[in-house]
């Protein structure tokens, strides 16, 4: 059943058995696993079935992110049924759009020297059965991510001679299963009720904050109601999961589950970094690297990327990273801006700041009082603007793109199917998706401004650390050394005054803000994803990840959500709970 909560009478109390807050991939996965059970499930979604600017405004943070040039929260979260699956835009088979999936590596679960706060409470083998179930849920191919599962004699992996570089495979699956296919299944389930336009604004607990009694829900047009349940699951994403705990502060003054000041800390993402250009030793390489193109094999869209081996990650104490290869024409061998500014330009400049201020004013249909001052800074800092735009774009510039081949990249493949790739392309552009080290100073907090429902807005603190930057630089050096050693060509690394060049500092993969740990002094949730000290409150999604690897998180989100659903079934049946004694380190 699907209900528009705006039609409900105000101050009503809805009674259910399991209340799931948030209908993104995590919440949908949990709800779908609970279909057909002998208990009632309520699924709350803040948005509707389509994008809504008024509802989306509730995602806005207070002011700008404190730290590096991290995007605003309103641009990174999507308040509608299906959540952040809505903007996924990779072109896959059958004219569908989708997203990349890949499991975490075994090393990602380890406590690693040189990676502070690393280590999951179980190893990858414990999660493998749930990964296999997640493959089916996400409508992917077999649970097979080794290059030998997908290569053939015409499209082999690149022949590296040492043991420092390997190839990792990604699979792609459709996005429409979340807002469409699974929504229809949940609507028809006899034990599940979906409430749209239902924003959870507070968790009400008993006097000792040991049990959640009900959640207060608000609609933008004024309706408020309560949902009472036996078990509560928050699945609103890495920002909003932490926010709701912090907002629920009537009993625990620092926020529910925040007795050790951990809620909202350890915010992680997957910054995307411009690697540079790989100049092949022979153009024939473009005829034999189809494994690294996004294409359909055995009924599944797959793409290979380069990565460091577990051995080199351990030995050099590095963070995980991939290198994606995108073919470019010979025009990209010449870079006029880099010739003019060989050492790079400052990322922040008055010209760039003025341009951003004018763009924001235009979006708000306002004329800033210091218009001419901004225009003057833009004119005198034209070189900064040109370099800033060059760094943002995947090609050298919009002018060349008018005469260039299609911009093959993360969202578009198929270049290996061209009749003569060796005649079309001359270089590979390299892009990195990177792991970020857990840092308690990167965090989600509450500001003082209120949103339209009277809730305090979030304030984000995010920055790159020396650990992050030094790891990227060393990884790039290893890629360059091994490419040269294998005789594949020359990898010229892109740097800006010695530092890695960001494409975007966020891929909207918010992780770690309710991190998992057996010790309540080091994590918000236990290995069952239950909030420490609260008997009936669970977290679903990447907010529980202790570390994030380089991997797109959705396969692990779904696997962990299926695992959590199994645990909740046992709790509701009052049977034995999931025994973690043999897997907890």
């Amino acid at each position: 059943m699907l209900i528009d909560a705006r039609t409900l009478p105000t101050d009503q109390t809805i009674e259910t058995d399991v209340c799931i807050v948030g209908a993104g991939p995590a919440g949908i996965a949990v709800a779908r696993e609970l279909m057909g059970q002998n208990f009632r499930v309520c699924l709350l979604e803040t948005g509707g079935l389509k994008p809504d600017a008024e509802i989306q405004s509730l995602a806005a943070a207070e002011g700008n992110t404190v730290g590096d040039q991290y995007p605003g929260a309103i641009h990174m979260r999507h308040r509608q049924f299906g959540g952040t699956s809505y903007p996924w835009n990779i072109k896959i088979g059958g004219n569908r759009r989708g997203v990349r999936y890949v499991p975490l590596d075994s090393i990602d679960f380890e406590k690693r020297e040189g990676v502070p706060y690393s280590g999951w409470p179980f190893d990858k083998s414990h999660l493998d059965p749930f990964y296999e179930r997640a493959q089916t849920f996400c409508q992917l191919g077999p649970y097979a991510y080794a290059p030998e599962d997908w290569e053939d004699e015409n499209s082999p992996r690149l022949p590296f001679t040492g043991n420092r570089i390997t190839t990792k495979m990604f699979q792609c699956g459709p996005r429409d299963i979340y807002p469409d296919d699974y929504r229809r299944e949940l609507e028809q389930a006899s034990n599940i009720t979906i409430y749209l336009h239902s924003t959870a604004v507070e968790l009400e607990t008993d006097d000792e904050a040991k049990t959640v009694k009900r959640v207060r829900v608000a609609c933008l047009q004024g309706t408020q109601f309560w949902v009472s349940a036996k078990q509560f699951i928050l699945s609103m994403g890495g920002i909003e999961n932490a926010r709701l705990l912090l907002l629920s502060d009537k009993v625990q003054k620092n926020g529910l589950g925040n007795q050790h000041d951990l809620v909202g800390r350890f915010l992680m993402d997957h910054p995307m970094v411009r690697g540079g250009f790989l100049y092949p030793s022979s153009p024939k390489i473009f005829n034999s690297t189809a494994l690294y193109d996004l294409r359909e094999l055995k009924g599944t869209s797959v793409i290979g990327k380069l990565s460091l081996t577990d051995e080199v990650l351990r030995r050099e104490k590095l963070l995980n990273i991939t290198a994606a290869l995108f073919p470019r024409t010979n025009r990209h061998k010449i870079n006029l801006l880099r010739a003019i500014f060989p050492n790079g330009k400052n990322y922040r400049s008055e010209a760039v700041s003025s341009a951003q201020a004018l763009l924001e004013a235009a979006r708000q249909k306002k004329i800033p009082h210091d218009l001419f001052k901004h225009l003057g800074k833009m004119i005198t800092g034209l070189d900064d603007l040109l370099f800033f735009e060059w760094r943002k774009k995947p090609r050298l510039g919009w002018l060349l793109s008018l005469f260039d081949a299609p911009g093959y990249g993360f969202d578009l493949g198929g270049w290996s199917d061209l009749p003569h790739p060796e005649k079309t392309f001359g270089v590979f552009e390299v892009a990195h998706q990177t792991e970020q080290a857990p840092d308690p100073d990167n965090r989600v907090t509450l500001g003082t401004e209120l949103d339209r429902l009277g809730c305090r807005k979030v304030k984000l603190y995010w920055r790159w650390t020396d650990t992050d930057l030094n790891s990227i630089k060393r990884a790039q050096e290893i890629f360059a050394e091994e490419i040269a050693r294998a005789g594949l060509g020359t990898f010229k690394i892109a740097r800006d005054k010695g530092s890695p060049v960001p494409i975007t500092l966020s891929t909207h993969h918010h992780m770690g803000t309710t991190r998992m740990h057996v010790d309540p002094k080091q994590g918000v949730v236990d290995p069952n994803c239950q909030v420490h000290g609260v008997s009936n409150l669970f977290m679903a999604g990447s907010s529980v990840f202790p570390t994030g690897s380089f991997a797109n998180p959705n396969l692990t989100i779904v696997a962990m959500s299926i695992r959590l659903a199994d645990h909740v079934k046992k709790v509701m049946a009052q049977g034995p709970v999931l025994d973690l004694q043999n897997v907890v380190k």
Side-chain angles (χ1 to χ4, degrees):
M1 182 183 303
L2 186 148
I3 296 174
D4 187 332
R6 296 172 296 186
T7 65
L8 297 175
T10 196
D11 293 328
Q12 177 183 359
T13 296
I14 297 169
E15 294 187 357
T16 190
D17 296 305
V18 177
C19 178
I20 304 170
V21 183
I28 291 171
V30 174
R32 190 168 182 268
E33 290 294 312
L34 300 182
M35 288 194 310
Q37 299 297 308
N38 62 350
F39 52 80
R40 300 162 297 170
V41 178
C42 166
L43 177 58
L44 301 176
E45 168 52 42
T46 181
L49 300 182
K50 296 181 179 180
D52 185 307
E54 286 191 294
I55 294 172
Q56 185 63 25
S57 70
L58 297 174
E62 176 178 308
N64 296 321
T65 302
V66 177
D68 292 305
Q69 299 288 324
Y70 199 63
I74 194 171
H75 305 298
M76 298 189 288
R77 314 312 303 159
H78 291 268
R79 289 179 172 243
Q80 66 182 94
F81 194 96
T84 52
S85 68
Y86 175 76
W88 293 347
N89 202 38
I90 295 175
K91 293 183 179 180
I92 59 177
N95 293 320
R96 303 177 81 181
R97 300 283 178 164
V99 72
R100 288 174 298 277
Y101 291 91
V102 66
L104 300 184
D105 295 331
S106 295
I107 194 173
D108 296 320
F109 294 85
E110 298 176 6
K111 184 175 177 60
R112 288 177 278 164
E113 186 179 355
V115 183
Y117 305 101
S118 60
W120 290 52
F122 45 79
D123 59 25
K124 183 174 181 287
S125 65
H126 170 72
L127 205 56
D128 277 333
F130 302 101
Y131 272 136
E132 292 196 41
R133 290 165 64 183
Q135 288 283 126
T136 301
F137 177 92
C138 298
Q139 298 187 8
L140 302 171
Y143 183 44
Y145 287 87
E148 55 264 29
D149 297 317
W150 302 98
E151 67 181 347
D152 57 37
E153 60 180 14
N154 295 319
S155 57
R157 77 193 84 173
L158 288 171
F160 290 101
T161 57
N163 65 346
R164 299 202 294 173
I165 303 296
T166 187
T167 295
K168 298 282 175 67
M169 299 303 298
F170 290 66
Q171 297 185 31
C172 297
R175 72 181 182 188
D176 51 7
I177 59 175
Y178 298 98
D180 297 330
D181 300 357
Y182 293 153
R183 172 181 57 80
R184 286 189 286 266
E185 288 185 14
L186 294 173
E187 280 187 67
Q188 297 168 8
S190 59
N191 67 320
I192 293 179
T193 304
I194 302 169
Y195 292 89
L196 300 178
H197 303 285
S198 303
T199 302
V201 296
E202 179 189 5
L203 297 169
E204 184 183 84
T205 69
D206 60 10
D207 292 339
E208 295 180 332
K210 292 184 177 180
T211 302
V212 177
K213 296 165 59 179
R214 57 183 188 170
V215 56
R216 183 163 62 92
V217 186
C219 306
L220 271 180
Q221 100 293 0
T223 300
Q224 292 200 38
F225 61 98
W226 298 86
V227 177
S228 174
K230 297 175 183 177
Q231 308 294 332
F232 293 84
I233 301 169
L234 304 189
S235 53
M236 301 179 291
I239 294 176
E240 293 294 333
N241 273 0
R243 182 190 185 192
L244 186 57
L245 292 180
L246 295 172
L247 288 170
S248 305
D249 59 358
K250 286 186 177 176
V251 178
Q252 285 188 327
K253 297 306 179 184
N254 292 326
L256 186 59
N258 199 29
Q259 57 269 31
H260 298 292
D261 190 27
L262 293 172
V263 172
R265 291 189 181 274
F266 297 99
L267 172 64
M268 296 176 289
D269 209 319
H270 289 137
M272 198 78 71
V273 173
R274 191 180 305 283
F277 285 94
L278 193 171
Y279 296 83
S281 55
S282 169
K284 293 181 179 179
I285 192 173
F286 295 103
N287 298 332
S288 59
T289 44
L291 191 67
Y292 303 89
D293 182 19
L294 176 60
R295 61 194 181 122
E296 191 165 322
L297 288 176
K298 307 173 187 177
T300 302
S301 294
V302 298
I303 184 173
K305 301 179 185 180
L306 302 179
S307 69
L308 303 182
T309 63
D310 288 357
E311 292 79 7
V312 76
L313 291 175
R314 290 191 191 96
R315 184 170 64 250
E316 304 230 12
K317 303 179 180 62
L318 299 177
L319 297 166
N320 221 332
I321 187 172
T322 59
L325 305 177
F326 303 126
R328 302 287 181 249
T329 64
N330 282 307
R331 294 186 182 92
H332 292 78
K333 291 182 177 180
I334 302 173
N335 187 337
L336 295 178
L337 283 172
R338 190 50 95 180
I340 298 171
F341 306 116
N343 297 318
K345 295 290 292 183
N346 287 329
Y347 191 63
R348 299 177 185 83
S349 76
E350 290 185 345
V352 171
S353 298
S354 289
Q356 292 171 333
L358 291 182
L359 285 173
E360 182 61 29
R363 280 192 287 265
Q364 298 177 7
K365 298 181 179 179
K366 298 179 180 178
I367 299 177
H369 68 276
D370 49 0
L371 171 63
F372 293 105
K373 180 180 178 182
H374 284 310
L375 290 173
K377 289 181 178 179
M378 290 173 61
I379 293 171
T380 57
L382 184 60
D383 58 340
D384 280 354
L385 290 175
L386 288 171
F387 190 80
F388 181 78
E389 284 301 309
W390 171 82
R391 294 201 332 173
K392 286 169 51 181
K393 299 296 181 183
R395 298 184 293 274
L396 286 182
W398 66 269
L399 184 60
L400 282 180
S401 70
L402 294 176
F403 310 98
D404 214 345
Y408 297 105
F410 288 104
D411 296 339
L412 179 65
W415 56 266
S416 60
D417 293 328
L418 296 175
H420 298 287
E422 82 284 0
K423 296 180 180 179
T424 304
F425 305 112
V427 295
F428 282 108
E429 186 169 13
V430 180
H432 304 293
Q433 186 160 299
T434 65
E435 178 178 14
Q436 185 179 15
D439 181 355
D441 291 331
N442 286 340
R443 63 188 302 193
V444 175
T445 65
L446 296 180
T448 57
E449 296 177 6
L450 304 181
D451 66 17
R452 289 182 56 186
L453 295 177
C455 298
R456 293 167 65 189
K457 294 182 178 181
V458 295
K459 197 168 184 66
L460 303 180
Y461 295 78
W462 186 96
R463 64 187 177 93
W464 260 348
T465 65
D466 289 341
T467 298
D468 302 319
L469 296 172
N470 291 335
S471 180
I472 294 169
K473 289 194 287 186
R474 179 57 187 144
Q476 289 177 321
E477 292 169 357
I478 293 172
F479 283 125
E481 292 165 5
E482 293 302 312
I483 287 170
R485 181 181 301 177
L488 298 173
T490 301
F491 176 32
K492 293 188 177 181
I493 300 170
R495 293 279 169 81
D496 187 6
K497 296 193 172 180
S499 294
V501 180
I503 298 173
T504 175
L505 293 176
S506 174
T507 47
H508 306 177
H509 300 164
H510 306 120
M511 303 167 284
T513 55
T514 63
R515 71 194 320 260
M516 178 171 39
H517 203 283
V518 294
D519 183 355
K521 294 182 179 180
Q522 299 186 61
V524 177
V525 303
D526 69 12
N528 286 321
C529 297
Q530 178 182 331
V531 175
H532 284 293
V534 186
S535 64
N536 64 339
L537 179 59
F538 299 87
M539 295 284 152
S542 54
S543 68
V544 305
F545 291 11
T547 54
S549 183
F550 63 77
N552 300 63
N554 207 57
L555 189 65
T556 305
I557 287 173
V558 173
M560 290 288 291
S561 298
I562 293 172
R563 176 180 178 272
L564 174 57
D566 283 1
H567 177 68
V568 171
K569 292 175 194 175
K570 294 178 181 179
V571 171
M572 292 301 296
Q574 297 182 342
V577 300
L578 182 62
D579 182 9
L580 287 168
Q581 290 184 353
N582 294 324
V583 295
V584 174
K585 297 178 181 179

